[in-house]
């Protein structure tokens, strides 16, 4: 069974940093594009970033561009999201998702990790 397990969330002050991880299992991680998607309290899902299977091509939402960096280690079957200069509006549950042929369609999701940015 495909599993995606996020970790690394927590409480951080504005301007701080966090690194999220997503451990993948039971599929060939190195052949699939992956994404991070978030959901703020009371709001819908917001796509954050995506990376291709080899890790050479990335895309970001305008709201996080220049502050967040997506990366992956295919040898460790792990996806990462480095988040710098965090803002209160980044507060959300962050999910990693396995992309289908269309990067913005997903067939598997993790359980999510809470990120709270507050002083």
């Amino acid at each position: 069974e495909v599993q995606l397990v996020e970790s690394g969330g927590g409480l951080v002050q504005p301007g701080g940093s966090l690194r999220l991880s997503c451990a993948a299992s039971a599929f060939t991680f190195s052949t699939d594009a992956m994404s991070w998607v978030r959901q703020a309290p009371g709001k819908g899902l917001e796509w954050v970033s995506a990376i291709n299977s080899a890790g050479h091509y990335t895309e970001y939402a305008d709201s996080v561009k220049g502050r967040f960096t997506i990366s992956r280690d295919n040898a460790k079957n792990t996806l990462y999201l480095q988040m710098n200069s965090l803002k209160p509006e980044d507060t959300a549950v962050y999910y990693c998702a396995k992309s289908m042929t269309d990067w913005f369609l997903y067939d598997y999701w993790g359980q999510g990790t809470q990120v709270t940015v507050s002083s």
Side-chain angles (χ1 to χ4, degrees):
E1 180 183 354
V2 170
Q3 283 198 321
L4 299 170
V5 180
E6 300 95 337
S7 60
L11 174 63
V12 62
Q13 292 188 342
S17 298
L18 282 175
R19 188 174 85 151
L20 306 183
S21 298
C22 172
S25 61
F27 69 100
T28 308
F29 181 74
S30 61
T31 64
D32 287 287
M34 298 291 294
S35 291
W36 287 99
V37 180
R38 68 185 181 185
Q39 186 168 29
K43 296 190 176 181
L45 292 170
E46 177 190 16
W47 169 78
V48 173
S49 183
I51 187 168
N52 74 334
S53 58
H56 300 152
Y57 183 76
T58 58
E59 291 190 1
Y60 298 92
D62 287 344
S63 58
V64 307
K65 200 171 293 183
R67 300 187 298 121
F68 290 10
T69 302
I70 190 171
S71 63
R72 64 193 296 161
D73 185 335
N74 285 345
K76 295 183 178 179
N77 288 352
T78 303
L79 177 72
Y80 302 101
L81 186 68
Q82 177 67 43
M83 305 186 296
N84 299 330
S85 302
L86 282 161
K87 305 174 180 180
E89 51 264 43
D90 294 318
T91 295
V93 177
Y94 284 72
Y95 300 92
C96 67
K98 176 178 169 293
S99 293
M100 300 171 70
T101 303
D102 182 329
W103 277 31
F104 303 102
L105 293 177
Y106 315 107
D107 51 3
Y108 293 96
W109 296 74
Q111 83 289 349
T113 186
Q114 176 70 49
V115 172
T116 302
V117 184
S118 175
S119 55

